[in-house]
């Protein structure tokens, strides 16, 4: 092998971001920050407080909250066992002994779940391993195929391997695919039902879903999520109609205000082509009947549907309405519509939501097919689309989810919220040029000579303190090169500091756009720039 090839092979491999994840880089991150800052400001004006949640939770929380049959939970979660790593391999005859020993120690120290089931599993493992160890002892040294007792040797081994797989090595956890279930968990865990109700929270951060990546769809994506939670008062829970009808009106106002809030944010950001679609999907009184009606109607046209929809007739007929398959559109248009089958309460609530939106000047479109892919919704569902996003054009989705907190072990509680897909929001703003001119540096300091460097450092400090963006090159550059660099960075001004300037105390400020030069004293510089920038 030549020296050249050897060198080539030694070159460390380059790493790439995992499929579906990406780096967000400047200057784009400036836009992300502007969007988030605007969200902080707008949400604060509606009385929302920020909550920061863990990035991973018990898998069971999402399974129960979002729904075990949803795509998100059944196919897309990043799940792992949160237990000791580097355990010896229990499927290897030579390391299974070390595995058993490590597990027994870990159980004793509380490093793996201390449950009755796990205690039993470990006892079974110990017993199975003892049988295997005994068999190993009975084998002649260096045994080979064909030794009569080999069968017993392997059967005891596989039995021990089996019991090793039964032992729980830790909690099943998942990276959060969404935030609503976590917000409900936090509401319960932190006793937020004791706070003045409703509790209004928002959170901004990454979510994780193992979807097929494409434009606007990532495996790590970002949401701006907002939720309103309200403990159900005792008199409401009693179900008296007069109280209930007041509650319906109040819920409708909350729904409309939440929608108004996200529309206000989009407005502030000048998001283009914003369209709000709303629907009511009923509640547990009326929806089951509608679902059965839908199922019966779908069964009649089953042969004309694609395989996904055929499967959904059994698992979740509502999701058939979500279908984008061209060939199914005509059939879906003729299916029964939920608006015609809402119970009295749901119909009153839906009418009130629409009225409330109108009072707030929020323009909406009704879409009876808007059912959304998460199990927790009831009554209001909504989705917002924006310009320039192609097939993944939903920039926000949300809805009401009364009962979810209860499902997660908390007190009876109402809920409504939404999540904005921040990646898509940014994409849409970029596509329509609403990104605001990216700022370069305000001032580039071109300095030459040791004395000038000390002055340049002082000037940079003072200018930054005054709020200007300053680039101070760390090494001396010829003025020509420095000015070229200033140009590339998009600087507005170059402050030229050489021996002459330092000695005379008259600094040179060059406007890069037109090449104009002015002489200024140090004490006048900040004021002068403030007038210009
Ligand atoms: P969702 O519809 O699953 O709802 O997601 C909300 C938004 O997140 C979508 O409209 C989309 O903009 C964005 N999004 C979802 N998946 C991806 C992805 N793979 N890549 C990029 N963006 C994506 C929820 O998550 C509910 N928790 C919303 C909610 C809050 N409902 C009530 N409260």
């Amino acid at each position: 092998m030549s020296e050249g090839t050897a060198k080539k092979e030694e070159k460390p491999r380059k790493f790439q971001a995992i499929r579906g994840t990406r780096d967000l880089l400047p200057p784009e991150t400036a836009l992300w920050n502007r969007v988030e800052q605007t969200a902080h400001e707008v949400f604060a004006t509606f009385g929302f407080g920020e909550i920061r949640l863990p990035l991973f939770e018990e898998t069971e929380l999402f399974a129960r909250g979002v729904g075990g049959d949803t795509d998100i939970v059944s196919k897309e979660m990043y799940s792992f066992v949160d237990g000791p790593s580097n355990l010896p391999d229990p499927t290897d005859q030579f390391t299974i002994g070390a595995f058993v020993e490590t597990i027994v120690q870990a159980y004793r120290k509380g490093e793996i779940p201390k449950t009755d089931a796990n205690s039993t599993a470990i006892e079974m493992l110990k017993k199975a391993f003892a049988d295997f160890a005994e068999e190993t002892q009975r084998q002649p040294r260096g045994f080979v195929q064909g030794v009569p007792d080999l069968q017993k040797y392997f059967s005891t081994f596989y039995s021990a391997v089996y019991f090793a797989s039964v032992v729980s090595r830790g909690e099943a956890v998942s990276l959060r695919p969404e935030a609503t279930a976590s917000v409900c968990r936090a509401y319960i865990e932190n006793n937020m039902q004791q706070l003045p109700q409703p509790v209004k929270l928002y959170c901004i951060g990454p979510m994780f879903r193992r979807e097929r990546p494409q434009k606007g769809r990532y495996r790590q994506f970002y949401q701006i999520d907002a939720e309103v939670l309200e403990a159900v008062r005792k008199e409401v829970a009693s179900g008296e109609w007069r109280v209930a009808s007041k509650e319906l009106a109040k819920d409708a106002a909350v729904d409309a205000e939440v929608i108004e809030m996200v529309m206000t944010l989009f407005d502030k950001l000048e998001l283009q082509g914003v369209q709000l679609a709303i629907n009511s999907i009923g509640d547990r009184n009326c929806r089951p009947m509608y679902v059965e009606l839908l199922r019966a109607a779908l069964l009649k046209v089953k042969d004309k549907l694609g395989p996904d929809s055929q499967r959904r007739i059994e698992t979740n007929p509502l999701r058939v309405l979500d279908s984008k398959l061209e060939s199914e559109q005509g059939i879906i248009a003729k299916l029964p519509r939920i608006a015609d089958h809402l119970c009295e309460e749901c119909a009153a609530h839906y009418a009130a939501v629409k009225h409330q939106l109108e009072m707030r000047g929020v323009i909406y479109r009704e879409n009876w097919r808007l059912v959304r892919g998460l199990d927790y919704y009831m009554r209001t569902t909504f989705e917002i689309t924006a310009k320039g996003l192609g097939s993944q054009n939903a920039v926000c989705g949300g809805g009401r989810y009364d009962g979810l907190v209860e499902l997660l072990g908390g007190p009876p509680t109402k809920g409504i919220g939404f999540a904005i897909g921040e990646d898509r929001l940014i994409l849409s703003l970029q596509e329509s040029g609403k990104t605001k001119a990216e700022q370069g540096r305000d001032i580039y300091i071109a300095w030459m000579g040791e004395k000038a460097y000390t002055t340049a450092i002082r000037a940079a400090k003072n200018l930054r303190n005054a709020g200007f963006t300053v680039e101070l090159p760390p090494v001396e550059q010829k003025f020509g090169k420095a000015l070229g660099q200033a140009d590339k960075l998009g600087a507005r001004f170059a402050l030229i500091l050489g021996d002459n300037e330092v000695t005379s105390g008259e600094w040179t400020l060059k406007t890069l756009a037109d090449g104009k030069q002015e002489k200024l004293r140090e004490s006048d510089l900040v004021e002068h720039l403030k007038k210009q920038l």
Side-chain angles (χ1 to χ4, degrees):
M1 194 192 300
S2 77
E3 214 175 286
T5 359
K7 271 218 176 99
K8 219 177 196 176
E9 279 179 4
E10 270 167 32
K11 201 174 163 205
R13 84 175 172 91
K14 273 199 246 161
F15 292 92
Q16 283 187 324
I18 304 283
R19 190 166 134 81
T21 74
R22 65 209 174 114
D23 305 305
L24 304 171
L25 306 172
E28 190 183 300
T29 37
L31 178 59
W32 284 74
N33 283 329
R34 178 162 74 85
V35 163
E36 289 171 16
Q37 189 51 37
T38 312
H40 287 301
E41 285 164 17
V42 171
F43 292 0
T45 65
F46 281 79
F48 282 65
E50 185 181 6
I51 179 170
R52 298 195 182 196
L53 298 158
L55 294 196
F56 59 99
E57 301 256 13
E58 272 184 63
T59 300
E60 180 65 17
L61 171 70
F62 301 118
R64 244 203 285 162
V66 178
D69 289 336
T70 59
D71 285 353
I72 295 177
V73 171
S74 67
K75 300 191 213 153
E76 295 169 2
M77 283 210 296
Y78 285 94
S79 301
F80 55 99
V81 171
D82 184 16
S85 51
N86 296 332
L87 287 174
D89 181 2
T91 65
D92 181 320
Q93 303 156 45
F94 300 104
T95 50
I96 186 166
F99 174 84
V100 175
E101 203 165 299
T102 317
I103 283 289
V104 169
Q105 292 292 340
Y107 185 78
R108 218 171 274 150
K109 290 191 210 146
E111 286 167 0
I112 61 173
K114 275 212 152 184
T115 58
D116 288 350
N118 228 14
S119 161
T120 311
I122 291 170
E123 283 314 310
M124 305 285 274
L125 170 65
K126 274 166 45 185
K127 165 89 180 50
F129 178 70
D131 292 348
F132 169 61
E134 198 184 313
E135 265 319 293
T136 314
Q137 292 302 319
R138 279 162 28 91
Q139 295 299 329
R141 273 173 147 260
F143 67 91
V144 280
Q145 287 280 339
V147 172
D149 263 355
L150 210 53
Q151 205 180 348
K152 184 127 188 249
Y153 173 85
F154 278 114
S155 71
T156 52
F157 172 62
Y158 286 120
S159 151
V161 171
Y162 168 74
F163 284 110
S165 75
V166 174
V167 173
S168 163
R169 299 164 198 195
E171 218 159 12
V173 299
S174 296
L175 297 185
R176 61 180 189 189
E178 60 109 54
T180 313
S182 303
V183 172
C184 291
R185 196 257 318 128
Y187 178 88
I188 302 166
E189 191 171 340
N190 297 289
N191 282 321
M192 291 194 229
Q193 69 274 16
Q194 313 284 2
L195 302 174
Q197 304 291 301
V199 175
K200 304 185 200 177
L201 300 166
Y202 73 94
C203 96
I204 303 178
M207 307 291 156
F208 306 86
R209 295 184 194 172
R210 201 168 185 289
E211 294 191 83
R212 196 172 47 76
Q214 65 180 84
K215 182 184 168 190
R217 189 158 74 193
Y218 309 97
R219 291 181 169 180
Q220 174 174 336
F221 60 100
Y222 295 78
Q223 281 189 344
I224 302 176
D225 177 281
E227 315 286 352
V228 179
L229 292 156
E230 183 178 11
V232 177
R233 287 176 292 122
K234 277 204 189 75
E235 59 273 31
V236 175
S238 71
E240 198 202 313
W241 170 248
R242 193 183 50 79
V243 184
S245 76
K246 249 192 172 170
E247 277 300 300
L248 287 175
K250 191 182 74 184
D251 295 350
V254 176
D255 292 7
E257 191 177 80
V258 163
I259 295 174
E260 183 190 1
M261 181 168 88
V262 58
M263 296 299 268
T264 306
L265 173 64
F266 287 168
D267 208 37
K268 280 251 154 68
L269 293 169
E270 298 181 67
L271 186 67
Q272 301 296 296
V274 177
Q275 287 198 358
L276 162 70
I278 62 164
N279 190 24
S280 173
I281 56 163
D283 66 3
R284 60 179 169 210
N285 295 323
C286 54
R287 194 174 35 210
M289 277 186 285
Y290 170 70
V291 170
E292 280 322 306
L293 206 71
L294 190 62
R295 183 175 278 136
L298 284 167
L299 280 172
K300 283 191 199 142
V301 291
K302 186 172 177 182
D303 298 345
K304 295 186 196 133
L305 299 171
D308 277 349
S309 292
Q310 287 195 356
R311 194 168 28 82
R312 286 180 171 148
I313 297 180
E314 288 316 315
T315 56
N316 190 352
L318 281 177
R319 291 304 307 279
V320 177
L321 305 181
D322 251 0
S323 161
K324 306 262 182 324
L325 215 64
E326 203 48 55
S327 60
E328 294 180 346
Q329 302 308 308
I331 304 165
I332 293 172
K334 292 192 202 106
L335 292 170
R337 301 181 172 209
I338 187 143
D340 303 326
H341 302 276
L342 292 176
C343 61
E344 198 180 350
E345 283 90 344
C346 288
H349 171 263
Y350 189 38
V353 171
K354 287 186 277 185
H355 178 60
Q356 278 280 347
L357 287 172
E358 282 150 26
M359 289 206 300
R360 289 155 206 268
V362 176
I363 297 167
Y364 62 86
R365 195 168 46 85
E366 288 181 76
N367 177 4
W368 69 277
R369 287 174 54 177
L370 185 60
V371 291
R372 312 225 347 101
L374 301 92
D375 277 359
Y376 46 62
Y377 292 116
M378 51 94 70
R379 292 192 180 148
T380 310
T381 54
F382 63 96
E383 220 157 73
I384 303 171
T385 52
K387 203 172 125 181
L389 293 174
S391 64
Q392 302 302 314
N393 64 349
V395 74
C396 173
R400 176 163 279 280
Y401 51 85
D402 296 1
L404 176 58
V405 167
E406 215 171 342
L407 188 72
L408 298 173
T413 308
K414 299 179 182 201
I416 164 93
F418 63 77
I420 297 167
E422 195 177 353
D423 307 72
R424 294 183 192 176
L425 173 56
I426 298 280
L427 209 60
S428 179
L429 290 172
Q430 287 170 330
E431 299 270 323
S432 49
K434 292 288 170 193
T435 51
K436 237 186 191 177
E438 278 320 326
Q439 267 202 328
R441 314 293 191 276
D442 295 327
I443 302 138
Y444 190 96
I445 305 185
W447 60 271
M448 264 188 93
E450 261 320 295
K451 260 206 284 174
Y453 191 32
T454 314
T455 310
I457 290 175
R458 188 178 71 233
K461 186 180 258 175
N462 290 338
L463 288 166
R464 285 176 180 146
N465 275 342
F468 297 114
T469 319
V470 178
E471 193 65 28
L472 175 69
V475 287
E476 185 177 76
Q477 291 168 326
K478 296 240 163 62
F479 284 129
K481 187 165 175 221
L483 292 176
Q485 191 70 11
D487 227 21
K488 266 194 223 150
L489 290 173
R492 295 270 310 275
F493 295 98
L495 178 63
I496 298 171
L497 294 174
D499 282 346
N500 288 348
E501 280 80 6
V502 175
T503 326
S504 68
E506 296 262 297
W507 294 2
T508 308
L509 187 71
K510 184 176 169 116
T511 311
L512 286 159
D514 57 11
K516 192 177 88 184
Q517 297 211 28
E518 310 167 76
K519 290 278 179 197
L520 287 167
R521 300 209 66 81
E522 179 175 5
S523 52
D524 299 334
L525 182 67
V526 166
E527 278 315 306
H528 179 81
L529 283 167
K530 271 190 183 157
K531 282 188 205 130
Q532 315 233 1
L533 282 167

